[in-house]
Amino acid sequence: MKQMWVRLSLAFSAVVFISFALVAVLTVTIVRANAQNSFEQERERIVEGLTTQLREYYLTGGNWDGVASLFSGAQAAFPYRMFNDGVRLVDADGNTVAGELPTDAQVGESTPITVDGVTIGMLEVAAPPSPENKPIGGGFWIFRDMVRLDELLVLLMFVGGTLSLLFGIMISRWLTTSLDELAEATRAIGEGKLDRRVEEAGTEEVKTLAKSFNRMVDQLHDAEQLRRNLVADVAHELRTPITALQANLYAILDDAYPMTKTEIAGLYEQTRTLSRLVTDLHEIAQAEARQLPLNCKPTDLGGIIEEIAAPFSVVAESKEIAFAVAIAPALPTVLADKHRITQVINNLLSNALRHTPEGGKITLAVGRSASDLQISISDTGEGIAPEHLPHVFDRFYRVDSGRSRDMGGTGLGLAIVKAIISAHGGQVSVSSDLGKGTCMLVSLPVGAT
């Protein structure tokens, strides 16, 4: 009973059986009512005709002598033999003149025969027996046919119920086969077999479920691949500073290097690299779990840009890079975490400075579109090849050695930028022409968190 196909089979069978039963009951009720009504009408017509013949006979002869032959002949001419031993004629004194009633029968109907207002006799008809008390046969054909109809309907109900059960089992098994396959595939996925797929067949609902399942498995497969790549990347990124620390410390312990401030500064720099890497990983993990702490308040992006632009313009000038800032007037405020937005802009500007050669130009602009505010940071650096553009926001992805740890990066900067902007309900995108430069575009919805 716990299996769906069993419940569906029983449900189909119950519906069909109840339908058969209702149809049977209604059919028997209607047929019986119509048959009984027809029977009563026919009997009334016959009784009325026999009464008229008997009245005319009495008027002709003036008495009931010889009426028995007429009475028997009239009975024999009636259809269906409805009054076999079930009707009699009595005179005015109550004496039986012709016909008779069964010994155990009661008078069901008495019709007076009158001439000039004087009752000359009574035509008595026996009350029809009930089908359960009257043996089948004789003139009571209606009860016999009703019993046969009942038996036929019971047989039809039994045959219909059996067939409905068989078809219900077949249909329910057909409907649940795909679900059984889906359950088996789910168990396989739970065991780590992410290459398992289900056939997209059956009803539209089952097909939709199968498509959703396969899409979920694909996403799980991609997530597992990303997890493995992340573990490998983290192990690789941690290995270099840890190896350097171990080598330098071992050399100092082995008196290969003197314990000078220069050596200590090198070791300290390696610990800072590890600290940045751990901090960046922690922020990405919080953002992906939607637990990145944000202190969102109405924020003036133009003011933030002005605060950030001042120190960067000095750095750009020292590298002989032109630095332009364009802030549209009357910008609305956005609900944002000022510290996180500053972190995003600093990261993007640092990348632009790193990839823009001397004599180049960096432009920082803030404007408004139909529904959000946009921050664009464009440079005239070497640009990014088209095959690399879809991956620039991936963790640990580096287009070239210029984005290596040796130049201050952990390979997580743009991934963190995307995570922070997504947490604010915004979007970040990149466009680039190889050899001409790159443009990073950040969109933040007005009034959204």
Side-chain angles (χ1 to χ4, degrees):
M1 287 296 294
K2 293 183 179 181
Q3 293 181 309
M4 182 180 291
W5 73 269
V6 175
R7 295 184 181 184
L8 287 175
S9 300
L10 295 178
F12 289 143
S13 302
V15 170
V16 175
F17 185 80
I18 292 173
S19 300
F20 266 103
L22 290 176
V23 171
V25 171
L26 291 175
T27 301
V28 171
T29 302
I30 294 173
V31 171
R32 280 183 173 176
N34 291 336
Q36 186 67 26
N37 186 50
S38 300
F39 179 80
E40 295 295 337
Q41 291 177 356
E42 183 69 10
R43 189 170 68 171
E44 289 176 2
R45 186 185 67 79
I46 292 174
V47 169
E48 183 179 352
L50 180 58
T51 301
T52 300
Q53 291 183 26
L54 291 174
R55 182 185 295 111
E56 293 176 353
Y57 181 86
Y58 189 88
L59 288 174
T60 301
N63 54 50
W64 295 116
D65 295 340
V67 75
S69 59
L70 172 66
F71 194 83
S72 299
Q75 279 186 291
F78 294 147
Y80 311 123
R81 299 181 59 83
M82 298 178 69
F83 299 107
N84 285 355
D85 301 327
V87 63
R88 69 183 176 184
L89 174 65
V90 298
D91 58 17
D93 298 326
N95 299 317
T96 300
V97 177
E100 61 178 352
L101 300 180
T103 56
D104 57 347
Q106 297 180 353
V107 178
E109 181 182 354
S110 296
T111 303
I113 304 173
T114 60
V115 175
D116 298 329
V118 178
T119 300
I120 58 176
M122 298 287 291
L123 184 64
E124 297 179 344
V125 180
S130 60
E132 59 272 14
N133 296 328
K134 174 67 179 179
I136 301 300
F140 297 94
W141 55 273
I142 183 172
F143 302 120
R144 179 186 64 223
D145 289 347
M146 288 297 99
V147 171
R148 289 178 178 176
L149 180 60
D150 290 348
E151 293 175 350
L152 177 61
L153 290 175
V154 170
L155 178 61
L156 288 176
M157 288 176 61
F158 174 76
V159 174
T162 302
L163 291 177
S164 66
L165 178 60
L166 294 176
F167 279 106
I169 292 174
M170 294 173 59
I171 294 174
S172 60
R173 290 298 294 168
W174 174 68
L175 289 175
T176 57
T177 297
S178 298
L179 297 180
D180 292 339
E181 294 178 357
L182 187 61
E184 180 62 28
T186 303
R187 284 192 290 270
I189 296 300
E191 295 173 358
K193 302 175 182 178
L194 298 181
D195 57 342
R196 183 67 180 270
R197 299 293 185 276
V198 295
E199 183 181 0
E200 298 176 4
T203 62
E204 288 299 323
E205 295 79 4
V206 175
K207 286 182 179 179
T208 301
L209 182 60
K211 290 179 180 178
S212 300
F213 178 84
N214 290 336
R215 185 163 54 250
M216 178 197 69
V217 175
D218 291 337
Q219 293 173 351
L220 287 175
H221 184 272
D222 294 341
E224 176 63 16
Q225 189 63 40
L226 288 174
R227 185 191 67 81
R228 293 179 180 178
N229 293 341
L230 175 62
V231 172
D233 290 338
V234 170
H236 174 74
E237 295 297 324
L238 290 175
R239 184 181 296 113
T240 301
I242 290 176
T243 301
L245 281 172
Q246 288 178 336
N248 290 334
L249 289 173
Y250 182 79
I252 291 174
L253 290 175
D254 200 33
D255 295 328
Y257 296 129
M259 189 70 173
T260 63
K261 288 186 177 182
T262 302
E263 294 299 329
I264 295 175
L267 296 176
Y268 176 69
E269 188 60 33
Q270 295 297 334
T271 61
R272 289 186 60 190
T273 300
L274 287 173
S275 178
R276 287 197 304 270
L277 181 60
V278 172
T279 301
D280 290 349
L281 287 171
H282 179 63
E283 289 186 348
I284 288 180
Q286 284 183 313
E288 291 181 345
R290 297 185 179 180
Q291 296 179 353
L292 185 67
L294 294 176
N295 183 22
C296 293
K297 297 179 181 179
T299 303
D300 178 16
L301 281 183
I304 294 178
I305 296 301
E306 290 177 350
E307 292 178 5
I308 298 174
F312 272 95
S313 62
V314 175
V315 176
E317 184 179 355
S318 66
K319 294 185 177 182
E320 298 183 4
I321 297 174
F323 189 83
V325 178
I327 302 176
L331 291 175
T333 61
V334 295
L335 288 175
D337 186 323
K338 180 179 178 181
H339 170 72
R340 294 296 183 182
I341 296 300
T342 300
Q343 181 182 356
V344 167
I345 299 175
N346 282 333
N347 198 313
L348 295 178
L349 284 176
S350 297
N351 279 348
L353 284 171
R354 187 179 302 122
H355 296 291
T356 304
E358 293 183 2
K361 182 179 180 180
I362 296 176
T363 302
L364 173 59
V366 183
R368 181 176 182 179
S369 65
S371 59
D372 51 27
L373 294 184
Q374 295 182 337
I375 305 171
S376 65
I377 300 175
S378 57
D379 62 59
T380 57
E382 67 272 18
I384 303 173
E387 63 269 19
H388 296 303
L389 285 176
H391 306 287
V392 295
F393 295 105
D394 293 349
R395 291 172 292 194
F396 298 113
Y397 188 84
R398 294 190 177 91
V399 175
D400 54 40
S401 59
R403 294 179 61 197
S404 68
R405 187 191 322 102
D406 296 336
M407 296 189 68
T410 62
L412 295 171
L414 291 180
I416 293 175
V417 167
K418 183 178 180 181
I420 292 175
I421 297 303
S422 297
H424 281 79
Q427 294 181 339
V428 58
S429 60
V430 58
S431 59
S432 181
D433 290 328
L434 194 60
K436 295 182 179 181
T438 302
C439 178
M440 292 287 181
L441 182 64
V442 175
S443 299
L444 291 173
V446 177
T449 57

